[in-house]
Amino acid sequence: MLRGFHGFLGLGLTLTVACKPSTSTAPIDGELATALADAHAGVTDPVLAELLRDHWRGSLESSPTFATSVDVHTWDDRWAIPGPETDARAHEFATTTLARATAIDRASLTESDRVSLELLIHELDNSLASEVCRFRVWSVGSGSEGLVTLAETQPLDSPERAGKFLARVRGFAEVVDARSAGYREGLATGLIADRATLELELAKIERTLAADPPPWALANQRIAESPQAWTPEQRSEFADQLATATREQVRPALERLATLLRDELIPAGRDADHVGLVHLANGSACYAAEIRRYIDVAEDPDDLHALGLREIARIDREFQELGERVFGTADLGQILEHLRSDPELYFDTAESVETFARASLAAATAELPKWFSHLPQTPCEVKAIPAHLAPFTYVGYYEPPTNGLPGYYAVNTHAPTTRPRYEARVLAVHESVPGHHLQIAIAHELPTTPAFRRFGGSNAFVEGWALYTERLADEMGLYRDDLDRLGVLSFDAWRAARLVVDTGIHAKGWTRAQAIEFLQAHTALAANNIRNEVDRYVAWPGQALGYKYGQLELLRLRARAEAELGESFAIADFHDVVLGAGAVTLPILRRRVEAWIGSQ
């Protein structure tokens, strides 16, 4: 799972406006000038180049934290503040940019320029279509995870740069209060999240408030690790100012949001029988927009549901065959129960979870040159998910490289006796290499590709690739035994079940209990993971569809290439074609692979 990827490019560009009015006529500093040149890297058409430059500048300026993540620090002291005016500016920006894009004559473009134009139009179309969802007024979140991420990644290598981080901490209350105003707006118009999601958000806030020190105090540790840029007095002053901002701005704002959740939102929240989009007035139109946003094409929810059931039936048969070999039974229920209940199949300490993840990453990295001709320069590392977040989040996720830092495979070490060993290796494959890190780091390093393509892309491509590599890893010799392969089946069933459960919740009106029951019947996921997964599908409609949908397209394209090229098929060449243009949409990927097959 790619953490935070839904917030920006390719998954539907959601533009937000910074605290201050637009400064488009302000002088351009060196970092921004470099970024704007990077916006049209490799583009030969001058009209398209100018459009991409304007689009990238608007995107960075109106999403300051994203700008920070791609090493542009012009707005490092700002947040994006949600609200009606922000919505209006985002709509105007997307509409104007889309009109300029559609006016360009595609016939005159090179194939590379045509791909960039098509991806930009697709992104802007998705952004405008998703406006119907009005997520700002009912999809809850405090934003504190973003503050923690900035504490981990925003440059703090000088008192001046650290001052910008402090400005963000002090301005965080404005973000929280603007979100709260949006939730009250939604409540007044009948748009509200389900009660369990609201209760979960309240629990996260309460755990964050109880943390001592707060998780964003990690900034103090980072400064202490670079003493050459700081005097002891400066470090002490920074720590005092951070503590003051936490006490006077951040904590009161989070407490205000907690009170709003507790007293107003939770009592009005939808019950466990009405958790999906289908129960909102704008729900059907919203889900249609999110389906296209996350799988690149407009598919009927019923067709996606049926596809998931077919995949589940196929994987169930594989479970029975492998279970009979490993456990001596072909009964699916007994196989899944054994995988869930045998303590020998689970970790015993948080340290053993993290150690296993590091060993899995090292083993996979050693095998990469045999399967890929081009490897990224940026390394991948392992870290444990922070304690304040771990009980509420996924088994693991990937954080892309930013500001000169490596990519990170974040593994959940909370409650280690619920973390299965048989799934640990396939999880590492998906989140690090040859999964997310390999694909994303390669994309970041593409030399002549516009920035919006290198730092964003199709959800179905990104997640489909990571799921594709889970089976590829068996070909690479990364799995040690049939227990590892049972983990692969569990993960494959998990992603197939997402097609069934996501559409069940949001199009067919499934209850939370129905979703949990289906996952219990067809995956080996532990009970705590199942609850977290259902929470995710409810709160993030459509995103989970991309995994299986994208994987199946990649498998079809590989099978076609192998069949048509025969002995001349080279797996490393196929992978280079797939990864060589960034995370393009599935229709564009199909066109690229077909052209490559024809050229052989």
Side-chain angles (χ1 to χ4, degrees):
M1 189 271 178
L2 180 53
R3 184 187 181 198
F5 197 55
H6 60 297
F8 207 74
L9 302 169
L11 307 186
L13 174 60
T14 303
L15 285 172
T16 45
V17 177
C19 303
K20 300 176 183 177
S22 173
T23 57
S24 300
T25 59
I28 296 177
D29 60 34
E31 283 178 348
L32 182 56
T34 300
L36 296 183
D38 201 32
H40 51 85
V43 173
T44 59
D45 183 84
V47 177
L48 178 59
E50 182 180 12
L51 175 61
L52 291 177
R53 176 186 172 92
D54 293 345
H55 164 262
W56 192 235
R57 169 149 192 169
S59 302
L60 295 174
E61 184 173 7
S62 54
S63 186
T65 54
F66 176 78
T68 300
S69 76
V70 295
D71 213 12
V72 178
H73 303 292
T74 308
W75 304 284
D76 270 5
D77 56 346
R78 304 186 192 180
W79 291 96
I81 305 299
E85 291 185 2
T86 295
D87 293 348
R89 291 186 187 184
H91 177 83
E92 181 182 2
F93 182 89
T95 302
T96 303
T97 307
L98 181 61
R100 291 174 62 188
T102 54
I104 295 175
D105 180 15
R106 299 191 195 192
S108 65
L109 300 179
T110 65
E111 174 61 17
S112 177
D113 283 4
R114 190 177 302 115
V115 167
S116 293
L117 179 61
E118 289 176 11
L119 290 172
L120 179 62
I121 290 173
H122 180 77
E123 176 186 297
L124 294 165
D125 275 338
N126 283 341
S127 177
L128 291 167
S130 290
E131 289 178 352
V132 69
C133 297
R134 300 191 66 205
F135 286 128
R136 177 182 62 80
V137 304
W138 65 271
S139 183
V140 297
S142 71
S144 60
E145 293 95 338
L147 184 58
V148 177
T149 298
L150 289 169
E152 295 173 331
T153 60
Q154 183 166 334
L156 301 173
D157 53 359
S158 72
E160 180 184 5
R161 286 194 163 190
K164 290 190 170 186
F165 173 73
L166 284 171
R168 272 186 166 154
V169 178
R170 295 184 186 109
F172 181 68
E174 186 180 359
V175 179
V176 176
D177 289 342
R179 286 177 180 237
S180 296
Y183 304 147
R184 286 194 168 97
E185 181 186 340
L187 185 59
T189 57
L191 290 176
I192 191 167
D194 69 289
R195 192 172 305 138
T197 297
L198 295 166
E199 290 172 340
L200 178 63
E201 188 58 37
L202 176 61
K204 289 179 183 178
I205 293 172
E206 290 175 338
R207 193 175 179 94
T208 299
L209 288 169
D212 187 20
W216 49 87
L218 175 65
N220 288 323
Q221 178 183 329
R222 290 180 59 212
I223 287 173
E225 292 170 353
S226 57
Q228 67 279 2
W230 293 78
T231 66
E233 293 76 17
Q234 287 171 327
R235 291 200 297 273
S236 178
E237 182 181 3
F238 176 88
D240 288 344
Q241 291 179 337
L242 182 58
T244 298
T246 297
R247 183 178 63 254
E248 296 182 356
Q249 278 91 32
V250 179
R251 287 188 62 88
L254 291 176
E255 287 167 354
R256 288 193 294 273
L257 178 55
T259 299
L260 171 64
L261 284 162
R262 192 181 299 111
D263 295 348
E264 299 180 48
L265 299 183
I266 289 174
R270 288 176 279 134
D271 63 33
D273 292 341
H274 301 85
V275 294
L277 288 176
V278 68
H279 300 293
L280 295 177
N282 58 346
S284 296
C286 174
Y287 197 44
E290 296 307 278
I291 287 174
R292 185 173 183 271
R293 182 186 211 182
Y294 289 120
I295 68 170
D296 302 333
V297 294
E299 286 275 16
D300 186 278
D302 288 342
D303 293 338
L304 293 171
H305 194 86
L307 174 61
L309 290 173
R310 290 195 298 273
E311 281 292 289
I312 284 289
R314 177 186 62 78
I315 298 165
D316 282 352
R317 291 192 293 272
E318 289 190 54
F319 253 133
Q320 291 169 321
E321 293 171 8
L322 193 53
E324 188 164 26
R325 192 159 75 230
V326 177
F327 300 131
T329 178
D331 183 276
L332 181 61
Q334 291 181 18
I335 295 166
L336 296 180
E337 179 58 27
H338 190 102
L339 290 171
R340 287 199 185 102
S341 62
D342 185 350
E344 294 298 317
L345 301 181
Y346 288 75
F347 290 99
D348 53 359
T349 66
E351 292 75 16
S352 61
V353 176
E354 191 169 346
T355 298
F356 192 99
R358 294 183 192 281
S360 298
L361 171 58
T365 301
E367 293 298 315
L368 291 179
K370 301 174 186 176
W371 298 83
F372 300 89
S373 300
H374 299 289
L375 298 176
Q377 299 298 308
T378 306
C380 184
E381 298 180 3
V382 172
K383 68 176 181 180
I385 293 174
H388 75 283
L389 184 61
F392 310 105
T393 195
Y394 323 116
V395 292
Y397 53 76
Y398 174 69
E399 294 181 344
T402 179
N403 295 310
L405 299 172
Y408 287 103
Y409 162 32
V411 61
N412 200 327
T413 62
H414 174 75
T417 56
T418 68
R419 310 295 172 188
R421 291 180 180 274
Y422 58 86
E423 290 177 350
R425 213 176 304 276
V426 66
L427 176 62
V429 164
H430 182 103
E431 303 297 348
S432 58
V433 297
H436 280 321
H437 177 74
L438 181 73
Q439 180 263 309
I440 290 168
I442 286 175
H444 282 194
E445 296 171 13
L446 291 174
T448 56
T449 305
F452 88 101
R453 289 174 53 183
R454 292 193 286 109
F455 294 109
S458 158
N459 174 72
F461 182 105
V462 171
E463 299 297 359
W465 169 263
L467 182 53
Y468 161 82
T469 65
E470 293 180 16
R471 296 272 182 160
L472 175 69
D474 204 6
E475 298 177 63
M476 296 170 66
L478 297 179
Y479 301 133
R480 307 295 173 83
D481 52 33
D482 281 343
L483 276 173
D484 279 347
R485 295 181 182 90
L486 281 168
V488 175
L489 286 183
S490 177
F491 270 33
D492 206 21
W494 172 23
R495 277 46 169 267
R498 285 174 169 175
L499 290 173
V500 180
V501 173
D502 197 279
T503 54
I505 290 170
H506 294 295
K508 294 179 176 296
W510 278 21
T511 66
R512 184 179 291 272
Q514 281 178 281
I516 290 172
E517 182 181 356
F518 190 88
L519 288 173
Q520 287 175 332
H522 295 284
T523 77
L525 292 173
N528 59 337
N529 292 334
I530 287 176
R531 288 193 299 272
N532 285 342
E533 282 297 307
V534 173
D535 291 337
R536 170 184 171 180
Y537 309 151
V538 169
W540 197 358
Q543 189 272 342
L545 303 173
Y547 294 72
K548 176 56 68 170
Y549 198 87
Q551 178 217 32
L552 291 175
E553 179 65 9
L554 281 161
L555 290 173
R556 279 191 292 267
L557 291 172
R558 176 172 166 179
R560 177 175 174 181
E562 289 174 330
E564 295 193 25
L565 297 180
E567 293 183 0
S568 65
F569 175 82
I571 188 64
D573 292 345
F574 172 75
H575 289 155
D576 289 346
V577 171
V578 169
L579 300 179
V584 296
T585 61
L586 298 185
I588 291 176
L589 175 65
R590 189 179 310 121
R591 194 168 81 208
R592 280 178 53 80
V593 173
E594 289 171 351
W596 171 70
I597 292 172
S599 71
Q600 300 300 297

